[in-house]
Amino acid sequence: MAIITMRQAISQALWEEMDRDERVIILGEEVGLWGGTYAVTKGFYDHFGPERVRDTPIAEGVIAGAANGAAMAGLRPVAEIMTINFAFLAMDQIVNHSAKIHSMFGGQIKVPLVIRTVGGGGRQLGSTHSQTPDVVFAHFPGLKVVAPGTPHDAKGLLKAAIRDENPVLFIEHATLYQTRGEVPEGEYLEPIGVSKVQRSGRDVTIVSYSKMLQVSLQAAEQLAAEGIEAEVVDLRTLRPLDMGPVLQSFRKTNRAVIVEGGWRSFGVGAEVAARIYEEAFDHVDAPIRRVAQQEVPLPYNRELEQMMLPQIEDVIRAVKEVL
Amino acid sequence: MDRQELIRLYYQMVLIRRLEERSAELYQQDKIGGFLHLYIGQEAVGVGVVSARRPQDHVITAYRDHGIAIACGLTAEEVIAELLGKETGCSKGMGGSMHLADVDKRFWGGYAIVGGHLPLATGLALAEKYRGTDTATICFFGDGSTNIGYFHEALNLSKVWDLAVLWVCENNQYGMGTAVERASAVSEIRRKAEGYGMANAQVDGMDVLAVRQATLEALERVRQGEPFFLEAMTYRFRGHSMGDPERYRTGEEVRKWQEGDPIGRFYDHLLKEKIADQAALEAEEARAEKEVEQAVRFAEASPDPSPEQVYDLVYVK
């Protein structure tokens, strides 16, 4: 096992897949000469050349659209949308085209596309650059939505996404790139649509993903010092959502807290809680709690921004409420 | 072009006209649901352009797609079956009128979000460029889509990346009910291509041979690795879709364009040039009529798709 950062893990996944498969190309704003605004594709342009690492104009609609078309014609494009906030400019391509084309034409067209993008608040970028609208995209059948929380999963899931025959939105978190973790030396894939227990425990189930997985794991450590053993389940994929490990854990602990970086209303917590109530109502010993971002556009001010985002203490408080 | 090929073009245009007329009836009988946008009046554009392509060239269009589907070689049977939502339809009853496709014939479909397929065309062309082929991508769209952001993003990228796209604007004078001059700051649409330094031409879209010739010339440039913009001046004789009150244009205007009916003009041309006699052309018309009637019977007798299919097609397994 090597210990690497999230950035390195994602970069390695891309590099290995481009090495393996000539059909894989990268396109997006500043992915080439600049090396990627989050430096994920640093060195790619020099190594793979301008035909495979394509700098685009600032035009998200045609970035996603050209990637759709190239995927339809048999390439394996990895389009980078600089941040998920800009993906709204590509929304029509993603939801009306990527997610529909296979079904709408009776299965004769495949769209094996990956859109890599970056979400999340906490970097003082103001309200339009700090959103976590993952559930918006997870709403649409036909699209897969992946959001890893560890370097290990990021690498394995991105490689799987590139090999997937379906369109995959791959959401990275802006504040996780420096997060370090163990990654196997050899090649491996992680399955899309499979949740994973990241920490075992008997007292309470914490369900989370992406950045909030790291927050939840830290909360679990602090709770352990008080003798509370939380089991942390990482969704990893929002669509298709795998409730198996969540329900299995809940039937053991009978208590759940769901932690997400986005807004509470109509969010991941709402969906997961509803499914627990539907599938495991007899096991409910306490009302399920949701920890989420305050329902405000995020402010610029550092302290205020952090105040609006879910923190370790919020998770600990919610866990104590359900115990 | 040899005689047989010219008569084939005539046949295709008549087949589209009959298919569309029959579709209107089927719609009024409530056998076709959703929206129905007829290609009547614009036949010379789709038939003329597609006749100039090589079989491997990609074709993609908007929701007024029946005529272009037929021009690409889809049968009346699979088109009408799709309009009736049947399992035997080209899109297995999943797409309907606006979403016909047949990838084996390199017809990538009709798309119903105005402008949304223009970026797809750049992507199809990008794949060909990446593979180093001289295959062209032909993208049809209406005048109405030239005011949306996608149009500008896609044209710009096709020029920046030297993509082999033939952009074909079917200027039928109205985006739904809004006349070009009321919607576009530049009413001579081909001039918009000049903003991207793109070679362009305008052609009489009611003259199938002129359209074909303009397309051949355009494709020659496109295959060298540059986009080209062709504006075909045309007119739809029917409303935007079924149920259009047509308050935005006068009967006189419609009649004036109908006097230049592309099928009538081509008919006259074939007679005048002694390429075919009246009997030969009437035989083609009868054959088209028969193909459409046979297609309607086929479609009506076809089964509906299963609910399982709907679930199975959400993702590629």
Side-chain angles (χ1 to χ4, degrees):
Chain A
M1 288 280 190
I3 294 183
I4 62 172
T5 63
M6 194 79 147
R7 177 183 286 110
Q8 289 170 316
I10 294 165
S11 186
Q12 283 180 12
L14 281 170
W15 190 286
E16 288 175 17
E17 290 306 296
M18 288 190 77
D19 240 359
R20 186 187 64 83
D21 186 348
E22 277 276 316
R23 297 172 303 170
V24 180
I25 62 164
I26 293 175
L27 66 162
E29 295 155 10
E30 310 300 350
V31 296
L33 278 173
W34 188 296
T37 42
Y38 287 89
V40 169
T41 53
K42 198 174 159 196
F44 281 57
Y45 186 85
D46 290 337
H47 183 79
F48 293 106
E51 295 299 318
R52 297 191 70 190
V53 185
R54 306 190 73 98
D55 284 319
T56 64
I58 302 168
E60 284 77 11
V62 80
I63 294 171
N68 273 333
M72 290 159 65
L75 297 189
R76 297 266 164 175
V78 180
E80 181 174 317
I81 300 284
M82 196 182 289
T83 89
I84 199 164
N85 309 283
F86 313 160
F88 295 130
L89 291 153
M91 198 72 180
D92 168 65
Q93 279 301 318
I94 297 170
V95 309
N96 283 331
H97 295 86
S98 311
K100 303 288 193 291
I101 283 172
H102 178 68
S103 166
M104 188 168 73
F105 293 112
Q108 58 182 315
I109 307 177
K110 291 191 285 193
V111 189
L113 159 74
V114 176
I115 296 177
R116 281 184 50 240
T117 191
V118 183
R123 295 180 71 241
Q124 283 196 272
L125 294 172
S127 55
T128 65
H129 274 53
S130 306
Q131 298 173 97
T132 307
D134 309 353
V135 291
V136 173
F137 297 90
H139 193 59
F140 298 96
L143 190 66
K144 295 186 178 182
V145 178
V146 175
T150 68
H152 176 279
D153 289 344
K155 184 173 178 184
L157 282 165
L158 182 53
K159 286 169 69 82
I162 291 169
R163 297 184 197 191
D164 203 288
E165 299 289 349
N166 297 285
V168 181
L169 182 71
F170 191 88
I171 306 172
E172 299 159 19
H173 198 284
T175 66
L176 281 184
Y177 283 116
Q178 299 291 6
T179 299
R180 303 175 80 84
E182 284 192 341
V183 168
E185 301 285 352
E187 179 171 278
Y188 67 100
L189 300 173
E190 282 293 320
I192 292 172
V194 179
S195 301
K196 181 180 177 183
V197 175
Q198 298 278 21
R199 185 189 196 282
S200 298
R202 58 173 190 273
D203 298 324
V204 61
T205 300
I206 302 177
V207 183
S208 191
Y209 74 100
S210 185
K211 165 77 171 183
M212 288 301 130
L213 168 72
Q214 294 296 337
V215 170
S216 300
L217 288 170
Q218 289 170 51
E221 284 304 308
Q222 293 187 23
L223 287 163
E226 300 180 40
I228 299 165
E229 290 298 331
E231 183 147 285
V232 180
V233 183
D234 180 2
L235 297 174
R236 303 197 296 179
T237 304
L238 297 184
R239 183 181 280 273
L241 182 62
D242 173 25
M243 284 296 290
V246 176
L247 293 169
Q248 200 178 352
S249 177
F250 186 79
R251 290 189 177 108
K252 179 173 69 179
T253 65
N254 312 111
R255 294 154 204 283
V257 171
I258 304 147
V259 188
E260 66 192 299
W263 292 296
R264 180 192 315 263
S265 301
F266 314 101
V268 174
E271 179 64 33
V272 171
R275 295 209 198 186
I276 293 173
Y277 287 128
E278 284 167 353
E279 305 284 326
F281 188 72
D282 291 346
H283 294 268
V284 177
D285 279 359
I288 296 167
R289 291 284 175 213
R290 291 179 279 163
V291 177
Q293 186 186 142
Q294 297 297 303
E295 305 260 334
V296 294
L298 280 182
Y300 162 73
N301 178 278
R302 186 190 311 248
E303 285 71 30
L304 289 179
E305 183 185 29
Q306 288 302 321
M307 202 184 288
M308 300 301 140
L309 291 170
Q311 305 293 337
I312 296 170
E313 308 80 70
D314 299 320
V315 180
I316 290 172
R317 194 179 315 117
V319 165
K320 289 182 175 171
E321 281 172 14
V322 303
L323 284 177
Chain B
M1 220 184 176
D2 66 21
R3 177 181 178 276
Q4 211 176 353
E5 184 66 2
L6 289 163
I7 291 177
R8 194 182 67 81
L9 295 191
Y10 183 75
Y11 177 73
Q12 273 195 346
M13 290 171 71
V14 173
L15 178 62
I16 292 167
R17 180 70 58 95
R18 293 285 166 274
L19 185 143
E20 295 294 58
E21 288 167 347
R22 196 68 173 86
S23 298
E25 288 172 26
L26 292 164
Y27 191 84
Q28 275 145 359
Q29 293 164 8
D30 207 21
K31 289 179 178 172
I32 296 174
F35 293 139
L36 185 71
H37 308 87
L38 302 176
Y39 203 58
I40 293 175
Q42 299 182 214
E43 294 92 342
V45 184
V47 169
V49 168
V50 175
S51 77
R53 76 160 176 167
R54 295 178 186 165
Q56 67 269 30
D57 290 338
H58 303 290
V59 175
I60 189 164
T61 187
Y63 48 83
R64 196 179 303 283
D65 59 349
H66 309 170
I68 289 161
I70 292 291
C72 286
L74 276 77
T75 64
E77 286 189 350
E78 57 193 340
V79 169
I80 293 180
E82 187 61 34
L83 301 184
L84 266 55
K86 298 303 181 80
E87 188 185 73
T88 52
C90 56
S91 299
K92 296 188 177 171
M94 297 293 289
S97 163
M98 302 192 286
H99 307 113
L100 308 175
D102 186 344
V103 169
D104 292 340
K105 298 190 173 73
R106 295 277 180 134
F107 175 55
W108 291 92
Y111 291 82
I113 303 291
V114 170
H117 68 292
L118 276 71
L120 301 181
T122 64
L124 295 170
L126 172 62
E128 295 302 338
K129 182 184 171 76
Y130 184 70
R131 295 188 184 109
T133 74
D134 67 350
T135 294
T137 297
I138 300 169
C139 180
F140 292 91
F141 50 92
D143 47 276
S145 63
T146 68
N147 302 312
I148 203 165
Y150 274 142
F151 171 83
H152 302 279
E153 292 190 24
L155 258 68
N156 180 59
L157 192 69
S158 73
K159 183 65 183 176
V160 170
W161 283 358
D162 300 321
L163 300 175
V165 183
L166 175 58
W167 301 109
V168 181
C169 177
E170 296 191 70
N171 182 351
N172 66 13
Q173 321 297 325
Y174 295 91
M176 286 193 73
T178 305
V180 169
E181 309 79 58
R182 295 177 61 214
S184 180
V186 175
S187 53
E188 192 184 355
I189 288 172
R190 67 171 190 86
R191 283 180 52 205
K192 293 185 178 183
E194 286 168 4
Y196 300 101
M198 192 181 297
N200 61 83
Q202 198 181 65
V203 66
D204 177 0
M206 308 304 267
D207 178 345
V208 67
L209 295 182
V211 171
R212 179 185 154 82
Q213 188 54 36
T215 306
L216 283 169
E217 287 165 19
L219 283 176
E220 208 165 301
R221 295 186 66 158
V222 165
R223 287 190 210 288
Q224 308 295 316
E226 63 164 318
F228 190 95
F229 191 96
L230 182 63
E231 180 185 11
M233 307 307 288
T234 185
Y235 201 80
R236 57 172 161 70
F237 295 167
R238 300 292 184 96
H240 165 76
S241 59
M242 299 293 288
D244 172 354
E246 295 197 57
R247 289 198 194 97
Y248 52 87
R249 62 185 188 182
T250 62
E252 191 188 355
E253 179 185 302
V254 178
R255 273 192 300 282
K256 191 181 93 167
W257 278 90
Q258 281 175 328
E259 282 165 18
D261 186 316
I263 295 178
R265 279 176 67 178
F266 194 37
Y267 178 94
D268 291 344
H269 173 84
L270 294 172
L271 288 187
K272 187 165 150 262
E273 299 296 319
K274 301 196 185 330
I275 294 157
D277 60 20
Q278 206 171 331
L281 296 180
E282 277 170 10
E284 293 302 313
E285 288 157 21
R287 194 159 69 86
E289 182 82 40
K290 204 173 143 200
E291 182 171 342
V292 170
E293 284 319 308
Q294 161 61 26
V296 173
R297 281 195 297 276
F298 168 82
E300 287 188 324
S302 290
D304 287 323
S306 68
E308 289 75 30
Q309 175 182 287
V310 183
Y311 297 106
D312 286 348
L313 288 175
V314 179
Y315 293 103
V316 183
K317 295 290 179 296

